[in-house]
Amino acid sequence: MCKSPLHPFLVKLPKCEHHIHLEGALTPQLVFHLASKNAIPLPKLPHYQNPEALAARYEAFDSLDDFLNIHYANMSVLITEDDFYELAWSYFCAAHADGVHHAEVFFDPQSHTSRGIPIASVIKGYSRALARAESELGVTSRLIMCFLRHLPVPSAHATFDSATGFIQDGTIHGVGLDSSEVGFPPELFTDVFRKAKDAGLHRTAHGGEEGDVSYITGALDSLEVDRIDHGIRLIEDREVMKAIAAKGTLLTICPLSNVYLRTAKSVASLPLREFLEARVQFSLNSDDPAYFGGGILNNYCAVEEAFGFSLDEWKTIAIAAVQGSWISEARKSALVQKIEHVVSQFT
Ligand code: HPA
Ligand code: ZN
């Protein structure tokens, strides 16, 4: 609950989330529960004594890689199709409570296949949760398969090829690129992204989180992405910023993540006003809600407390999130109508 008078409005405002790693919804409680169920030993480190100690460790990340090391270690508890289902379902329940109507969710198959988990267990578990979210909660969704950029490029190709059946039947809607950014430029992945384009998939990539603007332009030019995940360092190049605004490319910004991983000093220091003024399209997202201070609503609240946006500015942000979604025009119109209705209730 934030201190802003707009809190009740922010709760009700219909939201689209585009930047959420399902593995990043693995809470300390679920880590310990699944470790015990699957008899997986957790690292012999002080912060693995109990869920509270693990949660306390998350307050001290000093970089993206510091977080990723713990994030990947925690994933070792995910073994069965049901584990992936339970994880994704817990995300959708929390997102629904936060006012999410549409979610485009990332997953990292290589984090699991590298441990001997079949990719089908991962995708079937997740897609069962997506189907239930739509039928029971009315939350529509898309599944985005990410490649880990710190792993060798042939591993990304092998992952893409092993998912062919799920690409052809529409279970996987897009591809993304995540993990350690600096030193792993997007251009490395040009060929696998071309295969994804040829297969009719949407494309997005993390860029401009820790890396400079060349990671954003590289993703746009070489990977032909529709979106940039994070992209906050776009503010460092006004010419590229103008070009991205003109093109309408959506940035999927994760305010609390940026503060937890020290890519921004504070939410208030993020260039959100500059982006709004320059008509750069962006959405606000949770990234890894189990690690970075909670879900999408906490991110909306943190932004409101830092910027004090007006109802009109929030309407612009919420509509940009709809327009940047990979959904039909009919679904977009329905979501825009819901947003207009809520805005009118609070005007
Ligand atoms: N950046 C890169 N990779 C990630 C992130 C992130 O913020 N979260 C989970 N994987
Ligand atoms: Zn991310």
Side-chain angles (χ1 to χ4, degrees):
M1 169 102 184
C2 69
K3 295 186 202 89
S4 160
L6 288 197
H7 184 75
F9 164 74
L10 294 175
V11 172
K12 281 207 161 173
L13 184 63
K15 302 166 191 74
C16 297
E17 182 151 51
H18 307 115
H19 189 154
I20 145 77
H21 303 261
L22 287 175
E23 291 86 358
L26 185 60
T27 59
Q29 288 73 18
L30 197 49
V31 169
F32 278 77
H33 164 70
L34 292 176
S36 155
K37 178 181 87 80
N38 293 325
I40 303 292
L42 290 171
K44 300 247 168 297
L45 291 166
H47 52 270
Y48 281 100
Q49 269 167 9
N50 53 50
E52 293 71 31
L54 191 53
R57 172 66 178 84
Y58 300 171
E59 299 300 318
F61 293 130
D62 61 17
S63 64
L64 172 59
D65 277 352
D66 183 32
F67 152 69
L68 289 171
N69 287 334
I70 294 184
H71 180 52
Y72 296 138
N74 287 348
M75 287 181 211
S76 67
V77 303
L78 293 161
I79 307 290
T80 68
E81 182 184 317
D82 279 350
D83 298 342
F84 293 97
Y85 166 78
E86 186 179 350
L87 170 60
W89 178 242
S90 71
Y91 161 71
F92 278 104
C93 291
H96 176 62
D98 273 2
V100 170
H101 287 241
H102 177 72
E104 305 194 349
V105 298
F106 297 137
F107 74 109
D108 285 338
Q110 289 154 292
S111 306
H112 314 300
T113 53
S114 63
R115 301 181 287 112
I117 309 295
I119 195 166
S121 300
V122 182
I123 298 177
K124 285 184 183 170
Y126 284 155
S127 56
R128 268 169 50 211
L130 267 66
R132 183 173 176 196
E134 178 155 3
S135 66
E136 286 186 24
L137 308 174
V139 179
T140 52
S141 59
R142 301 296 191 208
L143 193 54
I144 304 171
M145 179 170 76
C146 288
F147 305 116
L148 296 178
R149 63 203 305 165
H150 72 275
L151 293 182
V153 173
S155 171
H157 282 274
T159 300
F160 183 87
D161 295 343
S162 70
T164 304
F166 297 106
I167 292 168
Q168 285 172 348
D169 72 9
T171 303
I172 292 172
H173 210 84
V175 294
L177 188 63
D178 62 2
S179 193
S180 309
E181 183 178 10
V182 175
F184 303 98
E187 289 81 359
L188 290 169
F189 296 89
T190 301
D191 289 344
V192 72
F193 269 65
R194 183 162 307 125
K195 275 206 275 197
K197 183 183 179 191
D198 291 345
L201 295 181
H202 284 281
R203 296 162 308 283
T204 186
H206 284 54
E209 179 185 17
E210 281 190 343
D212 62 24
V213 178
S214 71
Y215 288 80
I216 298 176
T217 51
L220 288 167
D221 297 342
S222 302
L223 308 184
E224 299 185 71
V225 294
D226 314 321
R227 298 207 288 243
I228 294 288
D229 300 313
H230 292 294
I232 52 171
R233 292 191 64 183
L234 178 62
I235 194 66
E236 294 169 20
D237 188 324
R238 299 292 165 138
E239 285 309 305
V240 178
M241 191 166 131
K242 262 194 220 158
I244 282 185
K247 219 173 156 190
T249 305
L250 186 85
L251 307 183
T252 67
I253 296 179
C254 306
L256 290 176
S257 164
N258 296 151
V259 175
Y260 269 77
L261 299 186
R262 301 176 195 255
T263 53
K265 280 205 190 77
S266 62
V267 173
S269 73
L270 290 168
L272 301 187
R273 271 218 180 278
E274 290 87 336
F275 287 164
L276 273 181
E277 277 159 20
R279 297 187 188 282
V280 171
Q281 306 298 303
F282 65 84
S283 62
L284 298 171
N285 307 272
S286 65
D287 202 2
D288 298 286
Y291 294 86
F292 306 144
I296 191 170
L297 178 61
N298 282 9
N299 280 272
Y300 275 53
C301 286
V303 165
E304 179 55 21
E305 286 185 336
F307 290 92
F309 285 146
S310 65
L311 288 181
D312 249 14
E313 286 167 326
W314 277 112
K315 183 176 167 188
T316 301
I317 293 167
I319 291 180
V322 172
Q323 298 302 348
S325 296
W326 296 334
I327 47 177
S328 68
E329 289 305 316
R331 179 71 178 143
K332 285 184 185 176
S333 309
L335 290 172
V336 168
Q337 268 183 22
K338 284 180 200 287
I339 290 167
E340 285 173 344
H341 177 68
V342 171
V343 172
S344 73
Q345 281 183 319
F346 283 86
T347 303

